[in-house]
């Protein structure tokens, strides 16, 4: 890939490590993308890939979904930023509220990290308490309170506590073990200064890890008992797992919800939502400060409106189709690995899946950390060579989009077969 190689050499001179987010970095160099459409992306050297990274889950409807492109094109003609309210913001908030019964009010922001930062400050402001609880391996963005034993790029690059982060902040973050019913009880019993528990209801930043039966119900029950708010970080699962996110799927209502990735289907938008008495603590009506120039900008809002409308309209087909495809792929990948005699475990849920090079089932941080990441690297390189792009880390997930076709599945499985053959050798 001569053009990508050359661009990367140049990029490294002007961009730290040549990338604008750490997860994009891989050896020997990332391919540079020229364009995308549907389920495919093309690099600057003209190579075509089936995209199974899909904007880390953002592109639930695939690249350049027509309803979204057309809504955004129209908006471009009448303005890109007003910094005063629009009718569309109200409409979008109503739609989010309609999809998520736990949400009475919504504040729009720009990114998932901004959403969790706001949610945590809101929980602290509302309860008047300082500490928060997060789970090992859950990722909630790149700010001090949550960059503690986090998943995603921070696990991949071995940075479990970031240099430059303040101890005084991270010390207020208590860490519990995901899928461990007793551990979270012990952590909550440690202090009466806990404002909230934040959790990815389905972990999608430590490979893919699903909650044990009733784990989320258990969280709901004991957070109530301890008078602690429960935040569901549905940045990945919101709209992806069902129109009402993981909370709809598992029948558990959190106090605060964060949404991002699939909300905008490729545009920068995120949201914090919750019950009225909590949300009303936000400034200017309340004393919890939160602000942003680009929050609720008309481009992102009209993209999100078109996304949510389209996802809701397609829901009876979209979710069953993706779950079926995800099952076909995870069974297929598992069978290939078994045929090659490679110790592995495959997790899948809804439109997400991941293979771990681990003989043991992967159910939490420890079992994920024990997976063989060298083998994963080989798998990733093999897939790239064979025209399939997945996120370049064991700690990320394969995301399917609605643009994927039945015919793509065979191509993907052939690529996995070729790549896994290299893993075996
Ligand atoms: C991606 C992600 C975030 C951070 O979102 P950004 O838009 O990258 O800031 C937060 N929480 C979860 C669960 C995520 O997957």
């Amino acid at each position: 890939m001569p053009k990508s190689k050359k661009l990367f050499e140049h990029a490294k001179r002007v961009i730290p490590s040549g990338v604008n987010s750490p997860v994009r970095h891989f050896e020997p160099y990332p391919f540079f993308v020229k364009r995308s459409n549907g389920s495919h992306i093309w690099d600057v050297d003209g190579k075509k890939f089936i995209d199974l990274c899909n904007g880390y889950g953002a592109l639930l409807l695939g690249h350049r979904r027509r309803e979204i492109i057309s809504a955004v094109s129209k908006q471009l003609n009448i303005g890109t930023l007003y910094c005063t309210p629009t009718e569309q913001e109200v409409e979008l908030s109503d739609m989010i509220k309609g999809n998520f019964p736990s949400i009475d009010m919504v504040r729009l922001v720009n990114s998932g990290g901004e959403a969790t930062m706001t949610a945590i400050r809101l929980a602290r402001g509302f309860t008047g308490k300082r500490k928060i609880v997060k789970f090992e391996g859950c990722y909630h963005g790149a700010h001090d309170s949550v960059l503690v034993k986090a998943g995603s790029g921070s696990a991949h690059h071995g940075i479990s506590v970031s240099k430059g982060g303040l101890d005084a902040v991270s010390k207020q973050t208590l860490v519990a073990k995901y899928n461990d019913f007793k551990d979270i009880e012990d952590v909550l019993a440690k202090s009466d200064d806990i404002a909230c528990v934040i959790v990815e209801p389905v972990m999608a930043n430590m490979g893919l890890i699903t909650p044990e039966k009733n784990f989320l119900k258990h969280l709901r029950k004991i957070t109530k008992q301890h008078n602690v708010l429960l935040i569901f970080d549905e940045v990945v699962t919101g709209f992806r797992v069902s129109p009402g996110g993981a909370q709809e799927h598992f029948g558990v209502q959190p106090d605060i919800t964060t949404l991002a990735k699939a909300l905008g289907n490729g545009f920068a938008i995120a949201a914090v939502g919750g019950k009225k008495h909590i949300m009303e603590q936000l400034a200017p009506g309340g004393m919890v400060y939160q602000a942003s120039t680009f929050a609720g900008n008309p481009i992102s809002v009209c993209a999100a409106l078109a996304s949510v409308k389209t996802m809701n309209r397609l829901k009876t087909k979209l979710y069953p189709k993706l779950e079926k495809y995800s099952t076909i792929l995870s069974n297929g990948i598992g069978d290939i690995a078994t045929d090659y005699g490679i110790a592995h475990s495959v997790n899948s849920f809804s439109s997400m899946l991941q293979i771990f090079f681990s003989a043991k089932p992967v159910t939490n941080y420890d079992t994920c950390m024990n997976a063989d990441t060298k083998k994963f690297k080989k798998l990733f390189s093999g897939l790239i060579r064979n025209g399939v792009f997945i996120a370049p880390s064991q700690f990320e997930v394969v995301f399917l989009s609605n643009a994927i076709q039945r015919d793509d599945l065979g191509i993907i499985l052939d690529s996995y077969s070729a790549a896994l053959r290299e893993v075996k050798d």
Side-chain angles (χ1 to χ4, degrees), residues 103-121:
I103 296 180
D104 294 331
M105 291 183 131
V106 181
R107 179 63 63 90
L108 296 176
V109 293
N110 305 286
S111 70
E114 200 187 335
T116 59
M117 189 178 76
T118 303
I120 288 168
R121 183 179 294 164

Side-chain angles (χ1 to χ4, degrees), residues 127-159:
T127 59
K129 296 191 273 186
R130 272 174 300 191
K131 292 190 189 302
I132 70 160
V133 178
K134 78 176 284 290
F135 291 90
E136 281 181 347
C138 280
Y139 178 73
H140 305 293
H143 50 97
D144 287 3
S145 291
V146 289
L147 266 189
V148 181
K149 275 223 173 178
S152 185
S154 108
H156 184 74
H157 295 289
I159 305 172

Side-chain angles (χ1 to χ4, degrees), residues 21 55-56 110-116 138-143 152 198-205 233-237 258 260-261 269-270 396 399:
S21 193
Y56 289 85
N110 305 286
S111 70
E114 200 187 335
T116 59
C138 280
Y139 178 73
H140 305 293
H143 50 97
S152 185
I198 184 168
V199 66
E200 284 182 78
V202 177
M203 283 176 73
N205 285 283
D233 180 357
E234 297 229 39
V235 164
V236 166
T237 50
T258 55
K261 293 180 169 118
I269 187 164
E396 306 291 344
F399 290 104

Side-chain angles (χ1 to χ4, degrees), residues 60-191:
L60 181 68
L61 296 170
H63 293 273
R64 302 184 66 252
R65 174 80 197 186
R66 65 176 190 279
E67 291 91 337
I68 302 170
I69 298 302
S70 119
V72 170
S73 306
K74 273 195 201 130
Q75 183 60 43
L76 283 172
N77 291 319
I78 55 170
T80 56
L81 187 64
Y82 310 133
C83 291
T84 191
T86 62
E87 187 178 347
Q88 285 75 19
E89 288 166 85
V90 186
E91 194 188 344
L92 179 59
S93 306
D94 267 339
M95 288 196 74
I96 293 174
K97 191 178 152 175
N99 278 30
F100 291 81
S102 74
I103 296 180
D104 294 331
M105 291 183 131
V106 181
R107 179 63 63 90
L108 296 176
V109 293
N110 305 286
S111 70
E114 200 187 335
T116 59
M117 189 178 76
T118 303
I120 288 168
R121 183 179 294 164
L122 182 57
R124 284 180 167 140
F126 178 77
T127 59
K129 296 191 273 186
R130 272 174 300 191
K131 292 190 189 302
I132 70 160
V133 178
K134 78 176 284 290
F135 291 90
E136 281 181 347
C138 280
Y139 178 73
H140 305 293
H143 50 97
D144 287 3
S145 291
V146 289
L147 266 189
V148 181
K149 275 223 173 178
S152 185
S154 108
H156 184 74
H157 295 289
I159 305 172
S160 86
V161 176
S162 167
K163 215 172 170 180
L166 279 180
D167 278 359
V169 176
S170 51
K171 267 208 317 237
Q172 302 296 339
T173 301
L174 308 177
V175 179
K177 290 182 193 300
Y178 191 81
N179 272 340
D180 186 327
F181 287 63
K182 179 76 176 32
D183 190 58
I184 179 66
E185 287 187 24
D186 294 346
V187 172
L188 284 176
K190 265 189 211 162
S191 167

Side-chain angles (χ1 to χ4, degrees), residues 267-278:
F267 286 81
I269 187 164
V272 185
K275 287 281 169 249
K276 185 166 180 275
H277 64 289
I278 299 173

